[in-house]
Amino acid sequence: MTNITRFDPFNDLVDDLFKGFLVRPVAYEGRSDALPRIKVDVAEKNGAYLVTAELPGVKKDDIQVTIDAAEVTLSAEVKREKEVTQDERVLHTERTFGKVSRSFSLPQELDEATAEAKFRDGVLELTLPKKAAAARKSVTIQ
């Protein structure tokens, strides 16, 4: 017997709109069927955005953060710790490896020169200060 589900386009649209605070995955490489999405929390405090991302099993040197105006891209690579030898047979594995990337836009442009990043215990913490808004300039008509 098959399961029948009711199609509700409004709920699907609302779920897609509000899911992830304008955060969307960009690309998966490697074992794409098993790589989890980078989980991200975004908060705002004292004129800066605080981004916390879970990157379990990733080394600090294998993480790349790119800032372009208001868009932030996080890329990471989980490398296989050791290769399987000929006399070894893998019976079961759940650990994943490969590249994962996530990109999201924030509401205001960022000051990439003063951005800070800390990585500890598989958690990346970014402090992304907002770029100061340009002051209005009055032009005198001659």
Side-chain angles (χ1 to χ4, degrees), residues 3-4 7-8 24-25 55 58 65 78 100 104 108-109 137 140:
N3 291 334
I4 298 175
F7 177 68
D8 188 357
R24 65 192 187 287
L55 297 166
V58 178
V65 178
V78 179
V100 65
F104 53 92
Q108 191 171 341
E109 284 194 31
K137 182 179 179 184
T140 307

Coordinates of all heavy atoms in Angstrom, one line a residue, residues 3-4 7-8 24-25 55 58 65 78 100 104 108-109 137 140:
N3 N 1.8 5.4 0.5 CA 1.4 6.5 1.3 C 1.0 7.7 0.4 O 1.6 8.0 -0.6 CB 2.5 7.0 2.2 CG 2.9 5.9 3.2 OD1 2.0 5.2 3.6 ND2 4.1 5.9 3.7
I4 N -0.1 8.3 0.8 CA -0.6 9.5 0.0 C -0.4 10.7 0.9 O -0.9 10.7 2.1 CB -2.0 9.3 -0.4 CG1 -2.2 8.1 -1.3 CG2 -2.5 10.6 -1.1 CD1 -3.6 7.8 -1.7
F7 N -0.5 17.7 -1.1 CA 0.4 18.8 -1.6 C -0.2 20.1 -1.2 O -1.3 20.4 -1.5 CB 0.5 18.7 -3.1 CG 1.3 19.8 -3.7 CD1 2.7 19.9 -3.4 CD2 0.7 20.8 -4.5 CE1 3.4 20.9 -4.0 CE2 1.5 21.8 -5.0 CZ 2.9 21.9 -4.7
D8 N 0.6 20.9 -0.5 CA 0.2 22.2 0.0 C 1.3 23.2 -0.4 O 2.3 23.3 0.3 CB 0.0 22.2 1.5 CG -0.6 23.5 2.0 OD1 -0.8 24.4 1.2 OD2 -0.9 23.5 3.3
R24 N 21.6 29.4 2.5 CA 21.4 28.3 1.5 C 22.7 27.6 1.2 O 23.7 28.2 1.3 CB 20.8 28.9 0.2 CG 21.8 29.8 -0.5 CD 21.2 30.5 -1.6 NE 22.2 31.3 -2.4 CZ 22.8 32.3 -2.0 NH1 22.6 32.9 -0.8 NH2 23.7 32.9 -2.7
P25 N 22.6 26.3 1.0 CA 23.8 25.6 0.7 C 24.2 25.9 -0.8 O 23.4 26.2 -1.6 CB 23.4 24.1 0.8 CG 21.9 24.1 0.6 CD 21.4 25.4 1.1
L55 N 31.6 22.5 12.4 CA 32.5 21.9 11.4 C 33.2 20.7 12.1 O 34.4 20.7 12.2 CB 33.5 22.9 10.8 CG 32.9 24.0 10.1 CD1 33.9 25.1 9.8 CD2 32.3 23.6 8.7
V58 N 36.9 18.7 11.0 CA 37.7 19.6 10.1 C 38.8 20.2 10.9 O 38.7 20.6 12.0 CB 36.8 20.7 9.5 CG1 37.6 21.6 8.6 CG2 35.6 20.1 8.8
V65 N 37.1 31.1 4.7 CA 36.0 32.0 4.9 C 36.2 33.1 3.9 O 37.3 33.8 3.9 CB 35.9 32.6 6.3 CG1 34.8 33.6 6.5 CG2 35.8 31.5 7.4
V78 N 36.9 17.8 4.8 CA 37.2 16.8 5.7 C 38.0 15.7 5.0 O 37.5 15.2 4.0 CB 35.9 16.2 6.3 CG1 36.2 15.0 7.3 CG2 35.0 17.2 7.0
V100 N 32.7 20.6 1.5 CA 31.4 21.2 1.7 C 31.5 22.7 1.7 O 32.5 23.2 2.2 CB 30.7 20.6 3.0 CG1 31.4 21.1 4.2 CG2 29.2 21.0 3.0
F104 N 25.8 32.5 2.4 CA 24.6 33.2 2.9 C 24.8 34.7 2.8 O 25.9 35.2 2.9 CB 24.1 32.7 4.3 CG 25.2 32.8 5.3 CD1 25.3 34.0 6.1 CD2 26.1 31.8 5.6 CE1 26.3 34.1 7.1 CE2 27.0 31.9 6.5 CZ 27.2 33.0 7.3
Q108 N 23.3 43.6 5.8 CA 24.1 44.8 5.7 C 25.5 44.4 5.2 O 26.0 43.3 5.6 CB 24.2 45.6 7.0 CG 24.8 47.0 6.9 CD 24.6 47.8 8.1 OE1 23.7 47.4 9.0 NE2 25.4 48.8 8.3
E109 N 26.2 45.3 4.5 CA 27.6 45.0 4.1 C 28.5 44.9 5.3 O 28.3 45.5 6.3 CB 28.1 46.1 3.2 CG 27.5 46.0 1.8 CD 28.3 46.9 0.8 OE1 29.5 47.1 1.0 OE2 27.6 47.4 -0.1
K137 N 26.0 63.5 1.9 CA 26.8 64.6 1.5 C 25.9 65.6 0.8 O 25.1 65.2 -0.1 CB 28.0 64.2 0.6 CG 28.8 65.4 0.2 CD 30.0 64.9 -0.7 CE 30.8 66.1 -1.1 NZ 31.8 65.7 -2.0
T140 N 26.2 71.6 -3.1 CA 25.8 73.0 -3.3 C 25.6 73.3 -4.8 O 26.5 73.0 -5.6 CB 26.9 74.0 -2.7 OG1 27.1 73.6 -1.4 CG2 26.4 75.4 -2.8

